[in-house]
Amino acid sequence: MPDYQAFHRRSIDDRDAFWAEQANRIDWQTQPQTICDYSNPPFARWFEGGTTNLCHNAVDRHLKDRPDQIALIAVSTETDTEQTYTFRQLHAHVQTMAAALLDLGVRKGDRVLIYMPMVAEAAFAMLACARIGAIHSVVFGGFASVSLASRIEDASPVVVVSADAGSRGGKVVPYKPLLDEALALSSHKPQAVLLVDRQLAPMAMTAGRDHSWASLQTKHHNAVVPCEWVDATHPSYTLYTSGTTGKPKGVQRDTGGYAVALAASMETIFCGKAGETYFSTSDIGWVVGHSYIVYGPLIAGMATIMYEGLPIRPDGGIWWSLVEKYKVTVMFSAPTAIRVLKKQDPALLKRYDLSSLRALFLAGEPLDEPTAQWISDGLGKDIIDNYWQTESGWPILTIANGVEKAPSKFGSPGIAMYGYDVKLLDEATGEELHGADKKGVLVIEGPLPPGCMQTVWQDDARFVNTYWKSVPGKLVYSTFDWATRDKDGYYFILGRTDDVINVAGHRLGTREIEECISGHPNISEVAVVGVADTLKGQVAMAFAVVKDASGLVDDKSRFALEGEIMKLVDQSIGAIGRPARVRFVTVLPKTRSGKLLRRAIQAVCEGRDPGDLTTMEDPSALQQIRDLM
Ligand code: ATP
Ligand code: MG
């Protein structure tokens, strides 16, 4: 392997040759004619002329060499079940599901909305859609009827695949009533609804519309459904962003570029090998679940674990027990989950044999140094931060140890991945920032590499207007994140561009202040927002969750802790970053994917309407802040 810098350079300077080589990692029915058609920027069409199939690459391709190897492990600590499927068994189940979808009228290009808990049938449904060229749109099972209805409307699915219920923390969460409500709210009505009955909750079936998976499964048992070869640019799925900064955006992904990007990332970034086990703790409702629970590991010929349950039930050792049991080599989780584990007994990290595990990848949010250090010390494994977006489909910034081993720097997700021509731009002038340690907007010069979004589903104009802007001589994609780059090329994310605070003319990322506050030994989590101030323009406000609240008995003790935190900020950032107030709460408002909803906190602090909150996890969290203000 060449060294990483040369590898990256070549991916930009000799783009087509580079990606033509990467394309050999997957099976094609017809070889691509054009590697990248960028004749109509910012729309990039990857691997034009090629035909392939995602399901073939994830499943069928492995039948020759590893038919009896485990492909899928579905573990639920909610229903106390554990089920494994070999590639051969997975192939059979996916064909049965594909036959059921065809039976219900789904054809190539049709949309299928999947509203499912983390059960094997959800993966069967995704793969079955890919198999027949249908476009899946997975909606996170935690969403209720209003959010679901808007997604049904947007995707206009021919069929909805769902289940009687999910379960969370031992509590059954019925899905079917929410789905029925959503279908009543939506002006679009699907032809049919396919329902998996887990026998957790009763289901009222609508005759003529609702079909049971059990009966269709019997009917199509042993079905043979060949893969539909689709154009590389054929959409494989649509998926919504988390909605952290506003109304979620419907990301549309292609087929060929995505398969190539995932196949490449599995080797170069995750270093996962066929026959090993990959464990991502995410949910199929998010992009990490699409790329690194379902498609990526399977394309690489790895077994993948689908986990339904909490990280701390029956106890905080559950994930590590799975690592031991299934000899997991690569694990992927989110900082927010690690912060949950941090409140547990650290001895749980040592109770199981983790010798198979090589690395833990974390993404989704800034990984603060204390959390990174804690998990690194506890596991004694490589902790690899990686930064990306629903839009990108695979990491933008991280380290590619499969190309060349590079050190991680805590606080930084890493360096620019191949294919991404990452730049920092001065927000005011739009000029590119050269040199080290300058703050700017993180952008990617077009074309985006394979695997990234093609467009906003049915809204090319929104794609162009939301993400792209012309800066002297080039067209760039904005990530809407603010960052610096050090002399070694490592990026540090400072926060969302929306979250930048302007105190008396000084620009500060909320992340910088949060990072500093989370260094206080008694703080487990903190959110900082900028609040309008007549004197200074804006001031920082901090909301913190304390680890041990037993000492916070009165205003005096709260003031004392607030003072300590302010002093900490004064020392590391300067008085300019000092929050006007530090308030203590028991929980912070987050999206269902676990991201801090700073825009909602800020709106409440400024007495404004917090906007679209359909993605919020726990409404009482925002209420606490409202009460404090
Ligand atoms: P929306 O775009 O709807 O506002 P969102 O940006 O939260 O929601 P996602 O695509 O789920 O939707 O999240 C991507 C964002 O998450 C990134 O733009 C970045 O702000 C943040 N992020 C992801 N990984 C990291 C990381 N490793 N370090 C810092 N921030 C990260
Ligand atoms: Mg975003």
Side-chain angles (χ1 to χ4, degrees), residues 241-245 249 364 366 385-386 388-390 481 496 595:
T241 58
S242 295
T244 312
T245 57
K249 299 164 280 260
D385 191 354
N386 58 119
W388 45 298
Q389 306 182 306
T390 309
D481 288 308
R496 315 271 185 153
K595 294 167 198 277

Side-chain angles (χ1 to χ4, degrees), residues 54-55 59 72 90-102 104 106 110-117 119-139 159-163 194-196 213 236-237 284 290 294-295 298 306:
L54 261 183
C55 182
V59 183
L72 179 65
L90 179 61
H91 183 238
H93 282 286
V94 169
Q95 290 191 90
T96 300
M97 181 68 82
L101 293 176
L102 288 169
L104 296 176
V106 178
D110 286 347
R111 272 81 55 211
V112 173
L113 188 131
I114 300 174
Y115 177 61
M116 290 280 270
V119 292
E121 288 80 0
F124 301 163
M126 291 169 73
L127 291 161
C129 287
R131 190 167 193 87
I132 61 176
I135 302 168
H136 60 66
S137 181
V138 181
V139 176
V159 167
V160 173
V161 183
S162 190
L194 179 58
L195 291 153
V196 175
W213 164 239
S236 58
Y237 66 79
I284 50 152
H290 283 63
V294 180
Y295 293 114
L298 292 176
M306 268 180 95

Side-chain angles (χ1 to χ4, degrees), residues 199-257:
Q199 315 219 312
L200 293 178
M203 276 195 284
M205 301 290 270
T206 301
R209 186 196 71 185
D210 296 354
H211 301 262
S212 101
W213 164 239
S215 61
L216 281 166
Q217 198 178 16
T218 312
K219 184 173 167 193
H220 296 291
H221 183 67
N222 287 335
V224 176
V225 179
C227 288
E228 173 93 35
W229 301 110
V230 298
D231 287 339
T233 53
H234 180 72
S236 58
Y237 66 79
T238 66
L239 179 67
Y240 285 88
T241 58
S242 295
T244 312
T245 57
K247 194 171 181 287
K249 299 164 280 260
V251 166
Q252 177 184 318
R253 187 104 52 220
D254 73 357
T255 298

Side-chain angles (χ1 to χ4, degrees), residues 345-356:
D345 180 3
L348 289 166
L349 298 175
K350 308 271 183 221
R351 193 193 285 169
Y352 298 94
D353 175 6
L354 305 182
S355 54
S356 60

Side-chain angles (χ1 to χ4, degrees), residues 115-398:
Y115 177 61
M116 290 280 270
M118 286 289 285
V119 292
E121 288 80 0
F124 301 163
M126 291 169 73
L127 291 161
C129 287
R131 190 167 193 87
I132 61 176
I135 302 168
H136 60 66
S137 181
V138 181
V139 176
F140 176 58
F143 281 123
S145 49
V146 174
S147 320
L148 178 57
S150 73
R151 285 160 175 77
I152 292 173
E153 207 129 283
D154 195 43
S156 55
V158 171
V159 167
V160 173
V161 183
S162 190
D164 57 338
S167 179
R168 201 176 144 79
K171 232 184 97 217
V172 170
V173 184
Y175 280 22
K176 183 63 177 15
L178 298 176
L179 174 61
D180 285 339
E181 251 174 68
L183 289 171
L185 285 172
S186 164
S187 63
H188 172 84
K189 310 288 177 198
Q191 256 163 249
V193 176
L194 179 58
L195 291 153
V196 175
D197 189 359
R198 308 175 70 196
Q199 315 219 312
L200 293 178
M203 276 195 284
M205 301 290 270
T206 301
R209 186 196 71 185
D210 296 354
H211 301 262
S212 101
W213 164 239
S215 61
L216 281 166
Q217 198 178 16
T218 312
K219 184 173 167 193
H220 296 291
H221 183 67
N222 287 335
V224 176
V225 179
C227 288
E228 173 93 35
W229 301 110
V230 298
D231 287 339
T233 53
H234 180 72
S236 58
Y237 66 79
T238 66
L239 179 67
Y240 285 88
T241 58
S242 295
T244 312
T245 57
K247 194 171 181 287
K249 299 164 280 260
V251 166
Q252 177 184 318
R253 187 104 52 220
D254 73 357
T255 298
Y258 188 49
V260 170
L262 292 184
S265 72
M266 286 305 298
E267 186 179 321
T268 58
I269 297 173
F270 296 99
C271 305
K273 296 187 184 61
E276 297 179 347
T277 306
Y278 195 104
F279 179 20
S280 163
T281 70
S282 183
D283 188 284
I284 50 152
W286 311 123
V287 70
V288 177
H290 283 63
S291 296
Y292 299 113
I293 294 177
V294 180
Y295 293 114
L298 292 176
I299 287 174
M302 296 180 80
T304 184
I305 298 180
M306 268 180 95
Y307 176 77
E308 178 187 51
L310 301 180
I312 51 170
R313 199 170 165 274
D315 62 44
I318 176 64
W319 285 353
W320 317 114
S321 77
L322 292 174
V323 170
E324 174 182 287
K325 179 164 182 189
Y326 292 105
K327 302 203 166 41
V328 171
T329 56
V330 187
M331 196 166 161
F332 194 136
S333 193
T336 177
I338 305 305
R339 284 192 281 264
V340 169
L341 293 178
K342 218 164 113 183
K343 295 181 191 137
Q344 308 288 310
D345 180 3
L348 289 166
L349 298 175
K350 308 271 183 221
R351 193 193 285 169
Y352 298 94
D353 175 6
L354 305 182
S355 54
S356 60
L357 188 67
R358 289 192 297 264
L360 170 64
F361 290 81
L362 296 171
E365 269 191 300
L367 174 63
D368 58 281
E369 234 179 286
T371 301
Q373 194 64 58
W374 179 82
I375 191 71
S376 169
D377 292 346
L379 295 179
K381 305 286 177 180
D382 280 351
I383 305 300
I384 304 179
D385 191 354
N386 58 119
Y387 161 94
W388 45 298
Q389 306 182 306
T390 309
E391 291 88 339
S392 71
W394 61 285
I396 299 170
L397 305 174
T398 184

